[in-house]
Amino acid sequence: MSLTLDKPPAPAVSRPSRSGGGPRLLRMVLHRLGTALLVLFCTATVAFFLVRLSGDPVKIILPPDATAEQESTLRASLGLDRPLLNQYLDFLWGICRFDFGDSLIYNQPVSEILLDRLPATIELAAAALVVTLVIAIPAGIFAAMRRGRGSDHTVMTGVLIGQSTPPFWVGILLILVFAVWLHALPASGYGTFAHLVLPAVTLAVYSVAAVARLLRSSLIDVLSSDHIRTARAKGFGPLKVVLTHGMRNASLPVVTVIGLEVGNLLGGAILTERVFSWPGVGQLTVEAISNRDFPLVQATVLFFAATFVVVNLLVDLSYSFLDPRVRTSR
């Protein structure tokens, strides 16, 4: 008689399930969208109440010799005599319908005024982004390849100066040199490529410094890794090693900060547009604040806040797609 012993069942091999990636990513996207909407709601609320602390716009719209009856009549026609809570609720309801009301000074819908000024701001931000990429990427690569040498210290000194210098001071200095002394470029205005050069360079100074510094740090970390030493052992030249192997691994944080700089370029255009009389949303914001144009101030502040929120949201989502480790950790 032979005894047969049953073999114990083989332990099940647990494999990572891929089915949870979709719901996890969806939850992350919904969470980011909810956070973005909350930030926009808080920004709209703060802008609504703070702008009303600046004073009564009726005093600016009417001449100094206007009577109290004329002021009360205009205030009623503008809806400023209504309870503050009712004005606030109407403002929120208008945002939901993308209706920001009419400008108190221009007597036009705020959305039309923004759409009219928006192309100039986008043009300036796009030109500044091009200047940033053209200067910052070669500078960061050069500084990383020459780490610890005199040329590296020179680049880093320039980066430090760029991050420490206020944009309006850079703009005034560029006007003094290229417009007043050299008569090479116009000091202000809009319409030609020559008018775009100085504002774009002024706006790009800080972004160039930020991107170049981060790219240098990322490349230095990557160039000390094992696969880079292997590539060098195979006989690849220094530049080929950096461009082929180094940039691929160092580009992820750089892409992230470049995306964030897009929002900074749009938001930072306020001072630059003011210095160069550039007819964009930044210049419009300063004019609206000076004139106490409540609907226009609220709309421009919300525009800049929405720009930052949307850009940060897209960068965050793209970071999750580019690096699966980030996606699985959330």
Side-chain angles (χ1 to χ4, degrees):
M1 180 182 296
S2 60
L3 297 177
T4 59
L5 298 177
D6 294 334
K7 294 181 179 180
V13 178
S14 61
R15 296 182 179 179
S17 175
R18 297 182 181 179
S19 59
R24 186 183 297 112
L25 180 60
L26 179 61
R27 286 195 301 269
M28 187 266 292
V29 172
L30 294 178
H31 175 71
R32 293 294 183 271
L33 288 175
T35 304
L37 292 177
L38 179 61
V39 170
L40 291 179
F41 169 75
C42 295
T43 302
T45 301
V46 172
F48 176 85
F49 288 103
L50 283 185
V51 73
R52 279 158 176 76
L53 298 178
S54 61
D56 189 0
V58 173
K59 300 291 186 179
I60 296 180
I61 298 175
L62 292 177
D65 57 348
T67 63
E69 182 179 358
Q70 290 175 330
E71 292 182 357
S72 61
T73 301
L74 179 59
R75 192 174 291 107
S77 65
L78 297 177
L80 299 177
D81 61 334
R82 302 169 57 228
L84 190 61
L85 179 60
N86 292 345
Q87 297 182 42
Y88 173 66
L89 294 177
D90 289 344
F91 169 62
L92 294 181
W93 175 240
I95 292 177
C96 297
R97 296 180 291 112
F98 295 99
D99 180 13
F100 300 98
D102 295 336
S103 169
L104 303 182
I105 303 299
Y106 298 99
N107 294 322
Q108 296 179 9
V110 170
S111 56
E112 293 183 2
I113 300 175
L114 281 178
L115 291 177
D116 183 60
R117 297 291 191 98
L118 186 57
T121 297
I122 294 178
E123 179 183 354
L124 178 58
L129 181 61
V130 172
V131 174
T132 299
L133 298 179
V134 169
I135 299 177
I137 293 179
I141 294 175
F142 178 77
M145 295 178 63
R146 308 284 294 180
R147 178 187 180 185
R149 303 181 184 180
S151 53
D152 177 29
H153 296 311
T154 302
V155 172
M156 287 299 99
T157 301
V159 166
L160 181 61
I161 295 175
Q163 287 187 307
S164 306
T165 306
F168 69 89
W169 189 86
V170 174
I172 294 174
L173 182 62
L174 291 178
I175 290 175
L176 181 64
V177 174
F178 292 97
V180 178
W181 293 349
L182 301 179
H183 301 284
L185 294 170
S188 62
Y190 173 75
T192 65
F193 178 77
H195 292 95
L196 181 62
V197 174
L198 294 184
V201 173
T202 300
L203 189 59
V205 167
Y206 181 85
S207 298
V208 167
V211 174
R213 183 176 182 179
L214 180 62
L215 179 57
R216 174 187 177 273
S217 300
S218 300
L219 276 177
I220 288 176
D221 292 338
V222 171
L223 292 178
S224 61
S225 58
D226 293 336
H227 74 281
I228 296 295
R229 284 192 288 267
T230 303
R232 288 172 176 168
K234 291 180 179 180
F236 293 141
L239 185 59
K240 185 175 182 180
V241 169
V242 171
L243 297 180
T244 305
H245 301 278
M247 287 294 295
R248 182 183 304 174
N249 295 277
S251 60
L252 189 59
V254 177
V255 169
T256 303
V257 77
I258 288 175
L260 297 177
E261 285 303 315
V262 173
N264 292 333
L265 291 176
L266 287 170
I270 296 178
L271 292 177
T272 304
E273 290 182 3
R274 186 64 174 174
V275 170
F276 292 94
S277 299
W278 190 265
V281 180
Q283 177 79 354
L284 180 66
T285 303
V286 177
E287 296 173 357
I289 294 174
S290 301
N291 295 324
R292 299 175 188 170
D293 196 336
F294 292 168
L296 195 53
V297 173
Q298 294 164 177
T300 53
V301 170
L302 196 59
F303 164 76
F304 287 117
T307 301
F308 274 98
V309 168
V310 171
V311 170
N312 278 270
L313 178 62
L314 294 177
V315 169
D316 196 8
L317 296 179
S318 65
Y319 201 94
S320 300
F321 281 109
L322 293 174
D323 192 347
R325 297 171 298 179
V326 178
R327 183 168 63 248
T328 55
S329 63
R330 295 179 178 182

